[in-house]
Amino acid sequence: MASLVYNTGLNAALTGGIDFDADSFKIMLVTNAYTADKDAHEDRADVTNEASGTGYTSGGAATTVTVTKDNTNDRVDIDFSDVSFTSSTITAAGGVIYKDTGTAANDILVAYLDFGGDVSSTAGTFTVSVTTPLRFSN
């Protein structure tokens, strides 16, 4: 499965339901049993098969958002900082970025990050790096 942007997240970003400069965001880990559905999955309560393990907290970890306007290339990039789970023993196949409200049914899904297969840590640091920003261009 490829990485994707959830339709609800895109809609919320364009209609004011998400403010990338002010809202809180997290990245949660999911196993290879999770199948992201950009049409049907809208909030964190729709995400199944969350990863678990030593050093991982249910719901994931906070990520910092940087919004950069680039007038030269006529685009806006939305970048998410790396998140790390130290001293962890985890296996995950992907990550879900979401707006964190503290209630799963209200946490708007933004994007799914496909790791390309299972990635594991054993009593080490598991780091998720978002290498490609969300990009709006014209």
Side-chain angles (χ1 to χ4, degrees), residues 53-138:
T54 304
Y56 179 76
T57 302
S58 179
T63 180
T64 303
V65 179
T66 303
V67 178
T68 307
K69 182 172 80 169
D70 179 347
N71 287 328
T72 301
N73 294 301
D74 300 318
R75 67 186 185 209
V76 175
D77 287 343
I78 302 166
D79 195 22
F80 298 88
S81 67
D82 295 355
V83 297
S84 295
F85 304 94
T86 58
S87 302
S88 65
T89 300
I90 307 168
T91 297
V96 175
I97 301 172
Y98 65 92
K99 174 184 170 179
D100 179 30
T101 67
T103 304
N106 296 329
D107 291 345
I108 300 170
L109 302 183
V110 176
Y112 170 73
L113 309 171
D114 184 355
F115 298 165
D118 283 342
V119 177
S120 298
S121 64
T122 303
T125 301
F126 190 108
T127 300
V128 178
S129 296
V130 181
T131 57
T132 305
L134 295 179
R135 176 169 288 161
F136 296 90
S137 62
N138 63 16

Side-chain angles (χ1 to χ4, degrees), residues 7-20 23 99 108 136:
N7 290 338
T8 297
L10 180 58
N11 182 66
L14 298 174
T15 59
I18 289 179
D19 182 342
F20 287 106
D23 292 333
K99 174 184 170 179
I108 300 170
F136 296 90

